[in-house]
Amino acid sequence: LVVLCAGISTAGAFIESRSYDEIRLIKLNLEVPVRMAYDFGRRMAERKKGGIIFVSSSISQAAVPYLANYAASKAYISSFGYALNYELKRHGVDVTVLTPGPTKTEGFDATEGIDFNKFPITPMPVQAVVRTALQGLGKKAVIIPGRVNRVMDVLGKYAIPRGVQRMIFGKLVEQALVEKPV
């Protein structure tokens, strides 16, 4: 089993960030999981068994101002993992995309530039997210832990237009930024 969950985010106005930080995000959030999925996926396919869990995010389904690069990186991971679910299944490899909402991790607490305590959603405990991911591996291509996250996913896909989602996320994230954009 390989769990591809390393990731970083950049918070704030994109043009006010350092390009180095944005490129570093792309390397860690995209390049590393692709390389690891390639290496481990090949070995698992040869053995005809194994599992890969890609950790995406509930915001992977929307354009999120002030977290634009992070949200886009998670959209890539969702699409990539969902495709590999199909490709590797015939080789006995289970692939699942985990799309949690806010989760109480060290990274959550240490994210620079944003105060997640200002969000109207209580973060889920890590143990509940991990348990849900492991229970769904091999059964579902996409796993969304938490009832609120599942409801929000359905609303985002079918009921709330993308422009409205972008506006809502923009206002929520902007209020949580440590430094307000100029």
Side-chain angles (χ1 to χ4, degrees):
L1 175 64
V2 176
V3 179
L4 303 174
C5 70
I8 56 174
S9 65
T10 53
F14 180 76
I15 62 170
E16 293 174 16
S17 68
R18 298 183 324 192
S19 64
Y20 168 82
D21 291 334
E22 300 297 340
I23 299 302
R24 188 174 66 128
L25 180 151
I26 291 168
K27 286 188 173 291
L28 181 60
N29 293 15
L30 302 178
E31 184 178 325
V32 171
V34 168
R35 287 175 183 247
M36 291 184 74
Y38 183 80
D39 291 342
F40 285 101
R42 290 185 82 159
R43 286 188 236 162
M44 291 175 185
E46 289 171 4
R47 288 190 333 212
K48 301 283 187 211
K49 69 178 181 176
I52 300 172
I53 298 175
F54 285 93
V55 180
S56 182
S57 171
S58 60
I59 67 171
S60 67
Q61 302 300 319
V64 182
Y66 309 114
L67 291 172
N69 201 15
Y70 176 76
S73 75
K74 293 303 181 175
Y76 177 91
I77 290 299
S78 290
S79 179
F80 183 65
Y82 195 55
L84 291 186
N85 170 274
Y86 181 88
E87 288 186 30
L88 295 179
K89 187 177 293 292
R90 70 183 68 215
H91 299 287
V93 181
D94 295 320
V95 178
T96 295
V97 178
L98 175 66
T99 59
T103 306
K104 191 74 170 152
T105 64
E106 290 177 21
F108 180 84
D109 289 334
T111 300
E112 292 183 25
I114 194 161
D115 181 358
F116 284 109
N117 293 317
K118 293 183 179 178
F119 273 53
I121 299 171
T122 303
M124 287 185 68
V126 172
Q127 298 83 353
V129 174
V130 170
R131 188 179 325 92
T132 303
L134 293 175
Q135 288 171 345
L137 181 63
K139 298 175 188 141
K140 296 180 178 181
V142 177
I143 298 170
I144 304 169
R147 184 178 305 126
V148 171
N149 295 326
R150 288 189 297 275
V151 168
M152 295 306 293
D153 182 68
V154 170
L155 289 174
K157 286 179 182 167
Y158 305 110
I160 302 172
R162 288 180 184 253
V164 173
Q165 290 178 48
R166 185 185 67 237
M167 182 190 67
I168 291 169
F169 276 120
K171 289 186 183 307
L172 286 173
V173 175
E174 188 171 18
Q175 290 173 2
L177 290 175
V178 173
E179 293 182 27
K180 303 302 180 208
V182 185

